[in-house]
Amino acid sequence: MSAHSRRTFVKLAGAAVAASAVPGGAAVAAEVPGAAARAAGAPAAKPAFTLGVASYSLRNFTLDQALEMTRRVGLTRVSLKDMHFPLTSSEEQARMVMAKAKAAGVTVSAIGVVYMTTEDEVRQAFTLARWAGLPMIVGAPNEPLLPFAERMVKETGISLAIHNHGPDRPLYSSPEDAYKLIAKMDKRMGLCIDLAHTQRLGIDPADIFVRLYDRMLDVHIKDTSAASKAGTTVEIGRGVIDIPKFLRAAAK
């Protein structure tokens, strides 16, 4: 990414405000125009969407630490991975986790990524999300389980955002792999696009996000060192993804 692109990203990311009702734990707000007007006392424009933390990024820390770190960087939304919210939690334990997040000033927007290989695992994930009062699961059910997952979506009203995994996994490598399978299913069967895994397939994340937008429910934003299987996660701005292009496309 060029120095100009990095400066643009800083401007875009600096305008992120976790104030939207749009579900999802890792979305980013676009640059809000009219800074001069705001300085004169005019109200700020509502951000296009919100920024949060996927707690897998904080997997080496406790739940308490993860929540505190989320607030420390000025964010109020988190998607909890199972090391912070075990899938085997009881209803009482689920209430305790949600109470702890609320006390920390953090909204839990989803659980995931949840891998589901049996109907019991699908049911377990939706039961936990229902106990916690969550609007969404970020998951990757095995392909034959998609009809059962859709049934659970309809029964609970909880959306399922299918996460793509790039060239390392044959299951949903690209967002389009999942999209083709759910295109005729309930609209709450959607996608969580992982920018780095998508780029590692040689696919521009911004382009495919726009093309499949009608089923986009969540975004995992990160950068990668190469647009190939050899790519590894790097700090945003130090990799090959055109992050400003993605943010502009997503906001539009």
Side-chain angles (χ1 to χ4, degrees), residues 18 20 32 38 62 66 68 116 123 127 136 142 154-155 159 166 172 189 202 207 217 222 240 242 245 249:
S20 172
V32 179
R38 291 200 303 279
T62 67
E68 193 279 328
M116 311 171 200
R123 187 179 293 106
T127 298
M136 183 172 65
N142 284 359
K154 291 178 178 179
E155 287 182 6
S159 299
Y172 314 126
M189 294 283 287
D207 291 346
L217 299 179
K222 56 190 180 188
V240 298
D242 190 338
K245 177 184 177 182

Side-chain angles (χ1 to χ4, degrees), residues 12-211:
L12 288 164
V17 180
S20 172
V22 176
V28 180
E31 181 179 12
V32 179
R38 291 200 303 279
K46 184 178 179 180
F49 46 98
T50 61
L51 177 68
V53 172
S55 80
Y56 180 77
S57 301
L58 303 172
R59 57 193 174 276
N60 293 326
F61 302 94
T62 67
L63 173 62
D64 288 342
Q65 290 171 322
L67 294 172
E68 193 279 328
M69 290 174 176
T70 298
R71 292 296 291 126
R72 190 188 307 171
V73 295
L75 302 179
T76 59
R77 296 176 71 86
V78 65
S79 175
L80 292 179
K81 183 64 174 166
D82 52 7
M83 71 281 298
H84 295 128
F85 194 2
L87 296 171
T88 55
S89 297
S90 66
E91 185 171 2
E92 177 62 24
Q93 289 169 329
R95 285 197 294 264
M96 290 173 62
V97 168
M98 299 305 292
K100 185 171 288 190
K102 183 178 180 179
V106 176
T107 298
V108 181
S109 57
I111 54 173
V113 177
V114 180
Y115 300 96
M116 311 171 200
T117 61
T118 66
E119 287 190 1
D120 284 344
E121 290 177 352
V122 175
R123 187 179 293 106
Q124 180 185 54
F126 277 89
T127 298
L128 182 62
R130 179 172 54 80
W131 284 342
L134 302 181
M136 183 172 65
I137 295 169
V138 178
N142 284 359
E143 183 179 334
L145 293 171
L146 288 175
F148 183 73
E150 181 189 26
R151 191 178 108 192
M152 294 302 297
V153 166
K154 291 178 178 179
E155 287 182 6
T156 64
I158 298 168
S159 299
L160 174 64
I162 299 176
H163 182 270
N164 68 291
H165 289 89
D168 300 317
R169 294 173 179 260
L171 181 65
Y172 314 126
S173 295
S174 161
E176 193 158 24
D177 294 339
Y179 186 89
K180 291 176 180 177
L181 295 170
I182 63 173
K184 295 183 179 180
M185 291 185 172
D186 189 286
K187 295 291 186 181
R188 292 166 292 186
M189 294 283 287
L191 306 173
C192 172
I193 183 173
D194 185 296
L195 301 195
H197 288 327
T198 302
Q199 186 71 70
R200 290 171 63 237
L201 289 166
I203 299 171
D204 186 312
D207 291 346
I208 199 166
F209 179 91
V210 170
R211 185 154 53 85

Side-chain angles (χ1 to χ4, degrees), residues 211-225:
R211 185 154 53 85
L212 307 183
Y213 177 73
D214 64 306
R215 290 300 178 97
M216 288 294 171
L217 299 179
D218 199 16
V219 180
H220 282 179
I221 296 180
K222 56 190 180 188
D223 212 339
T224 182
S225 61

